Amino acid sequence: MNATPAYKDASLPVDRRVEDLLSRMTLEEKAGQLFHSMLMMNPDGTPVTETDGSMLPFTTPELIEDRLLTHFNLLGTYGAREMAQWQNTVQEMAAATRLGIPVTLSTDPRHAFTDNVGASFNAGAFSAWPEALGLAAIGDPELVHRFADTVRREYLAVGFRVALHPQIDLATEPRWARQSGTFGSDARLTGELVRAYVRGLQGPELGPASVSAMVKHFPGGGPQKDGEDPHFAHGKEQIYPGGMREHHLEPFKAAIAAGCAQMMPYYGQPVGTDWEEVGFGFNKGVITGLLREELGFEGIVCTDWGLLTDAAIFGQTHPARAWGLEHLGVAERAARALDAGSDQFGGEQCPEVVVELVRSGRVAESRIDDSVRRLLREKFRLGLFENPYVDPDAAAETVGRADFAAMGAAAQRRSLTVLTNPGGLLPLSAEQAPKPKLYVRNVDEAVAAAYGEVVADPAAADLAVLRLRTPYEPRGNLFESFFHSGSLAFPEPELAEILALLDTVPTLVCINLERPAVIPEIAERGAALIADYGASDDALLDVAFGRAVPEGRLPFELPRSMAAVAASRPDVPNDTEDPVFAHAHGLPL
């Protein structure tokens, strides 16, 4: 009768369990740990067993049983019970492999309003909060801790054990597409909030009740040339004309001090510095020299997604984001990332490349062992070997629970930022009789009807309520179209149409700031102007009618013109000339 392997004995120290399991692993099993790929699921909670290759090249059984991967992030929005059932099925597949190493499931943010398959998912079944920018607008570390603790509890219910967030880049280039996921332009505030965020997810130390925080994007992804995003080749350059490279490291120092378990280097290729001009996932001076040796980070380093191989996304081929190393083959790119100090390849599923690197002598197996130790240690610390399964009934009861939803709704209201209120229009009387006649645009008429009489003609209204989103330039590539880039100003004739409404009837304008919109004419001519960062129509109207108190302050400045944006330095916070609204502007009601 065979004795129970030491790695399955929960009474033993984690490091002993790690070494026992590592000693039993084949090279192929070790290589599988180094890949953190994507999965999708069917809406009924069953795994994907067929694929057309338009998004994912392999089925779930192929990845787990054949390619021996055990780290995955889930794409898409589904019901809580179905996600829990799916994760249990995935864990059953993993348990049936030779060593039974459990799967670690991760997710991009899914507690707000952004829906971008490459970055974030709308809340769906989860409690809905403002985007990270909205949490920054409130600026309350205790609230951020409660938010992260809520995320932790909802994630645990369905089996997510790694959060591919928080994102703590500084929003210093106004055109950059990823700002809604940041805490804005203030390094000090970002540091305070990330400390609260990491502790809310992980607790005092990483354990069975934790969700591991993968902080991103080291060493700070904000200073993108022309604000273009390095998911795409035309956005690969990261520059520091203001000499503030060290400033962008401050939030990451706070995250490390808080004990974050994982770190994701960015895609960007630094240009014009003393760093090697290769993407950060391949950059030894940044990962080993700066992150590991100088800053003392001992956790897992997982690259951003898709650094090694070209990939089909929505049926279109996107080149590997191997910026600065485009001339190398897949194997040599992988070797460079491993040499740099990366432990895991995000969004990739080619373990055979690592196997061949070791067998050819290009990479020592001991180097692979170093990373596998870190990855296995986290699985043990999270308690996945003892409790890989979740309760679908409990998931359905926990995710989106009434008290979680209420906290998120309250945070939406608190985050709203009053930018102008020149005539004292706000707050409107909640008890006004008769109710005001409201003309609404981009607002649910059924919601508005609870606050006033909705009319179809703005000329017949006492007040108009207009919701807008930050402008952007449409991009032809379907995947890139999710990353809102380019001009921040409304083009004609859209601006003329907006201003015509403002001249017809006193108008409350609410603009969703996923980036710093250029809106000087709207600010001047609106009867009142509010910024939101993810808020329901109810939240907006509750604030407008005095049923809730807005507390928000701008997490970045709002520029006066696109010329001012183009002239600003992308690494310098709040650097545009004569902004319409300064950073931290916000009026009380």
Side-chain angles (χ1 to χ4, degrees):
M1 183 174 178
N2 292 330
T4 300
Y7 76 88
K8 293 187 177 182
D9 185 347
S11 68
L12 294 176
V14 165
D15 284 347
R16 181 172 170 188
R17 298 177 74 187
V18 168
E19 293 305 322
D20 180 71
L21 179 53
L22 186 65
S23 71
R24 299 169 187 270
M25 296 175 74
T26 65
L27 177 58
E28 287 77 7
E29 287 164 334
K30 293 175 183 178
Q33 306 306 309
L34 269 57
F35 292 84
H36 192 147
S37 191
M38 296 86 69
L39 289 179
M40 298 181 76
M41 57 176 272
N42 295 316
D44 65 355
T46 56
V48 174
T49 55
E50 296 182 4
T51 179
D52 62 6
S54 63
M55 281 292 289
L56 303 180
F58 299 104
T59 67
T60 302
E62 287 173 332
L63 289 169
I64 295 174
E65 298 166 2
D66 300 337
R67 309 187 80 77
L68 304 175
L69 271 63
T70 71
H71 297 80
F72 301 98
N73 78 299
L74 177 65
L75 304 183
T77 303
Y78 313 93
R81 182 184 300 278
E82 289 76 16
M83 282 188 282
Q85 292 170 337
W86 169 80
Q87 103 87 38
N88 286 347
T89 301
V90 168
Q91 295 291 10
E92 288 169 358
M93 287 184 187
T97 60
R98 187 179 76 89
L99 294 172
I101 299 172
V103 161
T104 304
L105 292 175
S106 69
T107 179
D108 279 312
R110 50 176 76 235
H111 277 82
F113 292 79
T114 298
D115 196 12
N116 175 352
V117 70
S120 184
F121 301 101
N122 63 32
F126 294 87
S127 55
W129 299 65
E131 309 290 344
L133 277 178
L135 298 176
I138 300 169
D140 180 354
E142 290 185 9
L143 174 67
V144 170
H145 187 277
R146 289 196 298 274
F147 164 71
D149 181 64
T150 301
V151 171
R152 178 187 66 84
R153 290 194 273 178
E154 292 190 288
Y155 279 4
L156 286 175
V158 298
F160 292 132
R161 301 310 304 273
V162 176
L164 304 181
H165 50 96
Q167 181 193 342
I168 59 172
D169 312 290
L170 298 181
T172 52
E173 214 304 342
R175 291 167 290 187
W176 186 42
R178 299 295 303 278
Q179 291 172 79
S180 66
T182 75
F183 291 126
S185 61
D186 187 325
R188 180 197 57 79
L189 177 63
T190 299
E192 291 180 3
L193 299 186
V194 72
R195 279 190 287 268
Y197 202 123
V198 168
R199 289 168 183 157
L201 286 176
Q202 296 186 176
E205 61 182 24
L206 204 67
S210 300
V211 168
S212 173
M214 186 186 291
V215 173
K216 60 189 185 187
H217 304 89
F218 191 80
Q224 294 303 126
K225 184 180 179 182
D226 300 327
E228 294 293 334
D229 194 272
H231 275 85
F232 312 101
H234 53 266
K236 65 185 178 181
E237 294 186 0
Q238 191 160 317
I239 57 176
Y240 300 89
M244 296 196 72
R245 186 175 81 180
E246 297 301 310
H247 186 71
H248 288 259
L249 293 175
E250 292 307 311
F252 294 93
K253 295 176 182 177
I256 293 168
C260 70
Q262 302 200 33
M263 192 75 73
M264 180 191 291
Y266 204 30
Y267 294 123
Q269 173 185 353
V271 174
T273 75
D274 58 357
W275 286 335
E276 184 181 6
E277 294 191 356
V278 297
F280 290 120
F282 304 102
N283 204 308
K284 189 170 186 175
V286 171
I287 296 177
T288 296
L290 176 59
L291 180 60
R292 294 274 191 219
E293 296 174 356
E294 184 176 333
L295 300 183
F297 180 69
E298 297 179 349
I300 294 165
V301 174
C302 179
T303 75
D304 212 330
W305 267 222
L307 265 60
L308 302 183
T309 60
D310 297 348
I313 306 175
F314 298 125
Q316 296 173 290
T317 299
H318 289 256
R321 301 170 185 103
W323 310 139
L325 300 175
E326 294 94 333
H327 60 288
L328 297 181
V330 172
E332 189 56 28
R333 291 171 186 169
R336 285 291 301 268
L338 291 167
D339 290 345
S342 293
D343 294 307
Q344 200 170 48
F345 300 99
E348 300 282 359
Q349 51 275 317
C350 51
E352 69 279 1
V353 172
V354 171
V355 170
E356 182 53 33
L357 284 171
V358 173
R359 289 190 172 147
S360 69
R362 172 64 177 85
V363 174
E365 188 167 358
S366 60
R367 169 64 191 88
I368 305 304
D369 289 349
D370 288 343
S371 290
V372 175
R373 281 189 183 92
R374 290 192 183 99
L375 295 160
L376 294 178
R377 185 177 297 117
E378 179 161 293
K379 287 181 186 286
F380 283 115
R381 293 179 70 189
L382 292 174
L384 280 165
F385 280 84
E386 288 70 55
N387 294 297
Y389 302 108
V390 298
D391 180 345
D393 290 336
E397 294 171 1
T398 301
V399 171
R401 209 171 71 186
D403 56 331
F404 296 162
M407 286 192 291
Q412 292 174 39
R413 287 156 174 78
R414 290 180 65 188
S415 70
L416 290 170
T417 304
V418 180
L419 300 178
T420 68
N421 189 28
L425 173 72
L426 303 177
L428 299 157
S429 171
E431 308 302 328
Q432 182 176 339
K435 287 186 175 182
K437 294 181 179 179
L438 300 178
Y439 172 78
V440 297
R441 187 179 296 174
N442 303 325
V443 174
D444 187 329
E445 291 187 5
V447 173
Y451 300 83
E453 178 189 347
V454 178
V455 298
D457 182 358
D462 300 310
L463 175 73
V465 181
L466 170 64
R467 298 201 72 170
L468 301 172
R469 298 187 64 85
T470 302
Y472 61 92
E473 295 174 6
R475 300 289 169 90
N477 180 291
L478 180 56
F479 184 50
E480 189 177 358
S481 71
F482 287 95
F483 294 82
H484 295 168
S485 304
S487 177
L488 299 158
F490 284 100
E492 296 289 355
E494 186 177 0
L495 178 60
E497 182 181 352
I498 292 168
L499 296 178
L501 176 63
L502 272 53
D503 291 342
T504 299
V505 58
T507 302
L508 164 59
V509 180
C510 179
I511 184 162
N512 176 267
L513 294 180
E514 62 175 11
R515 301 186 298 153
V518 174
I519 50 171
E521 304 92 344
I522 294 170
E524 181 180 353
R525 288 156 73 171
L529 177 61
I530 291 178
D532 86 88
Y533 320 90
S536 67
D537 291 340
D538 304 80
L540 170 62
L541 292 170
D542 271 359
V543 164
F545 281 84
R547 299 175 184 176
V549 178
E551 300 177 28
R553 300 291 182 267
L554 279 177
F556 40 47
E557 67 184 14
L558 298 193
R560 186 163 297 278
S561 68
M562 286 307 300
V565 169
S568 67
R569 294 164 294 180
D571 60 323
V572 180
N574 311 311
D575 192 45
T576 67
E577 183 179 0
D578 187 27
V580 177
F581 299 107
H583 169 259
H585 174 77
L587 302 176
L589 281 187

